Amino acid sequence: MSTPILTRRDGTVIDNAIIDAFRNDFRGQIILPADAGYEAARRIWNASIDKHPGLIARCSGVADVVSAVTFARANNLLVAVRSGGHNVGGRALCDDGIVIDLSTMKGVFVDPRSREVLVQAGATLGDVDRETHLHGLAVPLGVVSRTGVAGLTLGGGVGWLVRKYGLSCDNLLSCDVVTAEGKVVTASAEINPDLFWGLRGGGGNFGIVTSLRFRAHPVSMVLGGLIVHARDQAGAVIRQYRSFMATAPEEVTAYAGLLSTPDGMPVVGMIVCYCGDLAEGEKALKPLRSFGSPLLDAVQPMPFPAMQQLIDGAFPDGNHNYWKSTFLKELSDEAIDLIVERANREHSPLTTVVIEFYGGAPGRVGHADTAFAQRQAEYNIGILAQWTDAADSEKHVAWARDLSDALEPYSSGGYLLNFGSEESQAAIKTAFGSNHAWLAELKAKYDPTNFFSLTQNVLPAR
Ligand SMILES: Cc1cc2nc3c(=O)[nH]c(=O)nc-3n(C[C@H](O)[C@H](O)[C@H](O)COP(=O)(O)OP(=O)(O)OC[C@H]3O[C@@H](n4cnc5c(N)ncnc54)[C@H](O)[C@@H]3O)c2cc1C
């Protein structure tokens, strides 16, 4: 293909003198298509994403973010915002326009006395764990340490501490934000509370978050790991998982998954994290561990950062990925049988169908208290198709879509925004439910021109 150039949304080309003037006002790195680092800078972990931005502005701090927003607005550019770059659908990138890239802004500052943690937007989960663990603390984030904190939290954020301590966004105390007008504002319960409401689950619709302040919790060692059974036991194992989760203490977060071993054998597994007293945890996990004849039981005490890295290897850079998600009204026998039958039909050993139970702390926050609406739907089904050969893409994407469609009769209609590869406006409206109307009002207030359009996009109310 020809070398991409920076163009305005109307297709006209931006002249080099304008780019040079922007460069003079910028402390970070400006990366253009002809530059040596461009190929690496335009890539994310998911090989299915192949976008060619006209300019990548790798920011060194908040002033650079303001500068990039001002430049983009003045020149009518399409804007993508990148933090961890882990969004499956590649929302961190765009074609032709500008990527405002915060991935090198990785500072994490822990105040052990107040248990507050200030995180710059480019930090990953692993960056946060590394600092908080020094103080015996943890912030509730996700389950793969290379995921970006900012995108994950703005979409809600579910992880190993979700049942006990809630969603990541429920542990947010404040954010600093650069708005579409290039203003620096704080959002918290006291300052710009409407914006703070929208940032907790409403995605990147309202501005660029440059830092997030979290409440941390006393979590240091956990009892965690993987339990694996033969695939022909899947129906029984998932039913046992369902009855275990119905009464399991909130210290337990556990996911069940249809996956394959590293040498390609299809199995059913459960991955477990108990975040309380370890002796109590041994007792609590007994019903799950004593069921049937597992091929492997690797549950053991481990530092929380190790728990958070346990499945990193299952999501390497450079494979193709396509994800769907749906919340279930309930995990019925029929839904379990359907999931198992469809998982058995998928022949990529890298694909996983994961059953995630979030019942506990998230449901104690009111549905309209934050933008994250899906608080009562306790079971999420993540359909995580992954394969290596681009030529097989159509087949694996079709399989994931088919399973998602087949689950529709069991679905609450909602899905986890963080897991989506692609969403229609109708699906976004359904996911936000009755919060959508208020999100559209907020969008009209903070981003009336839809400057931040490459998001799970809420259109401004008119
Ligand atoms: C391997 C893997 C594991 C995952 N595990 C979990 C999990 O356990 N729990 C969970 O909830 N999700 C999980 N996710 C989904 C993940 O939370 C989302 O993909 C999220 O968007 C990633 O955040 P990021 O900062 O890496 O996003 P990026 O790809 O950098 O950005 C994605 C979008 O988020 C918005 N955004 C990002 N940064 C900012 C910012 N600073 N200001 C404003 N908007 C911003 C923008 O709209 C941007 O387009 C996982 C994803 C992967 C690939």
Side-chain angles (χ1 to χ4, degrees):
M1 91 173 256
S2 59
T3 309
I5 39 175
L6 185 59
T7 52
R8 298 185 179 85
R9 286 198 210 210
D10 62 12
T12 54
V13 176
I14 309 263
D15 184 291
N16 284 341
I18 295 176
I19 297 176
D20 287 344
F22 172 45
R23 201 190 290 275
N24 286 339
D25 185 41
F26 199 80
R27 290 278 168 89
Q29 223 186 335
I30 303 282
I31 305 168
L32 296 170
D35 292 341
Y38 178 79
E39 273 307 305
R42 74 170 190 89
R43 290 282 172 195
I44 58 165
W45 69 290
N46 183 0
S48 294
I49 307 301
D50 185 24
K51 296 188 185 172
H52 292 81
L55 186 154
I56 299 168
R58 200 166 266 169
C59 302
S60 68
V62 179
D64 275 355
V65 177
V66 172
S67 191
V69 166
T70 309
F71 171 71
R73 208 183 56 244
N75 292 289
N76 189 22
L77 299 180
L78 184 65
V79 174
V81 178
R82 175 177 184 154
S83 287
H86 256 50
N87 180 272
V88 189
R91 285 194 177 74
L93 299 173
C94 58
D95 283 317
D96 306 326
I98 182 172
V99 174
I100 303 180
D101 181 341
L102 284 74
S103 63
T104 54
M105 293 169 56
K106 284 176 168 295
V108 177
F109 309 95
V110 183
D111 180 344
R113 272 175 293 276
S114 64
R115 291 185 181 162
E116 290 181 13
V117 184
L118 184 67
V119 180
Q120 280 190 308
T124 62
L125 276 52
D127 296 327
V128 174
D129 291 337
R130 185 172 149 78
E131 298 299 330
T132 52
H133 191 65
L134 288 175
H135 306 282
L137 298 171
V139 174
L141 295 167
V143 303
V144 170
S145 76
R146 298 173 62 220
T147 317
V149 172
L152 177 135
T153 304
L154 295 172
V158 291
W160 295 131
L161 306 179
V162 67
R163 296 192 59 227
K164 176 77 177 164
Y165 296 115
L167 303 173
S168 307
C169 72
D170 296 339
N171 290 277
L172 251 190
L173 298 170
S174 67
C175 292
D176 280 348
V177 183
V178 175
T179 66
E181 288 182 328
K183 290 199 178 121
V184 182
V185 300
T186 295
S188 70
E190 293 79 32
I191 309 165
N192 298 312
D194 57 351
L195 178 59
F196 189 52
W197 180 91
L199 294 174
R200 286 175 293 160
N205 277 297
F206 307 106
I208 302 182
V209 170
T210 53
S211 64
L212 308 93
R213 196 162 52 92
F214 288 99
R215 180 188 309 115
H217 301 276
V219 175
S220 183
M221 292 294 287
V222 296
L223 185 62
L226 193 62
I227 304 167
V228 175
H229 292 259
R231 177 65 74 88
D232 62 8
Q233 297 301 304
V237 169
I238 297 170
R239 282 170 173 78
Q240 157 68 5
Y241 162 79
R242 176 183 62 189
S243 58
F244 172 76
M245 293 315 296
T247 56
E250 289 182 1
E251 282 78 7
V252 181
T253 294
Y255 297 168
L258 294 140
L259 67 161
S260 300
T261 60
D263 55 359
M265 179 174 66
V267 292
V268 58
M270 285 168 293
I271 184 157
V272 185
C273 175
Y274 182 93
C275 66
D277 175 80
L278 297 185
E280 288 298 318
E282 291 286 357
K283 281 188 245 162
L285 296 182
K286 208 160 180 196
L288 206 58
R289 300 177 71 187
S290 57
F291 178 77
S293 311
L295 304 174
L296 170 79
D297 177 350
V299 175
Q300 57 193 290
M302 63 181 78
F304 183 69
M307 178 76 220
Q308 198 121 273
Q309 291 167 28
L310 220 52
I311 56 170
D312 281 10
F315 300 96
D317 282 355
N319 286 348
H320 293 267
N321 290 267
Y322 181 85
W323 291 15
K324 300 284 282 182
S325 139
T326 187
F327 282 111
L328 298 187
K329 288 179 251 181
E330 57 169 334
L331 183 61
S332 62
D333 282 346
E334 301 89 84
I336 293 173
D337 293 342
L338 175 74
I339 291 166
V340 173
E341 188 258 323
R342 293 301 179 104
N344 288 344
R345 281 197 216 168
E346 158 68 349
H347 297 301
S348 169
L350 302 171
T351 291
T352 304
V353 182
V354 64
I355 301 171
E356 306 186 340
F357 179 73
Y358 307 146
R364 288 195 287 277
V365 176
H367 161 272
D369 288 354
T370 69
F372 189 91
Q374 307 288 335
R375 292 193 176 267
Q376 301 310 323
E378 296 184 325
Y379 274 108
N380 173 44
I381 308 301
I383 305 167
L384 318 181
Q386 187 181 159
W387 63 99
T388 51
D389 187 347
D392 292 337
S393 297
E394 209 173 306
K395 182 172 73 181
H396 296 293
V397 170
W399 169 84
R401 287 184 182 150
D402 281 354
L403 174 50
S404 176
D405 290 347
L407 283 170
E408 230 168 75
Y410 310 97
S411 167
S412 68
Y415 63 97
L416 193 68
L417 280 167
N418 271 352
F419 275 17
S421 277
E422 55 181 2
E423 297 90 21
S424 63
Q425 266 300 308
I428 290 170
K429 273 191 182 166
T430 312
F432 284 123
S434 54
N435 286 342
H436 187 269
W438 179 230
L439 284 164
E441 294 293 336
L442 265 189
K443 183 77 172 173
K445 177 174 173 185
Y446 286 99
D447 184 17
T449 64
N450 204 10
F451 181 78
F452 300 112
S453 62
L454 299 177
T455 57
Q456 274 101 0
N457 200 216
V458 173
L459 298 173
R462 303 206 186 274

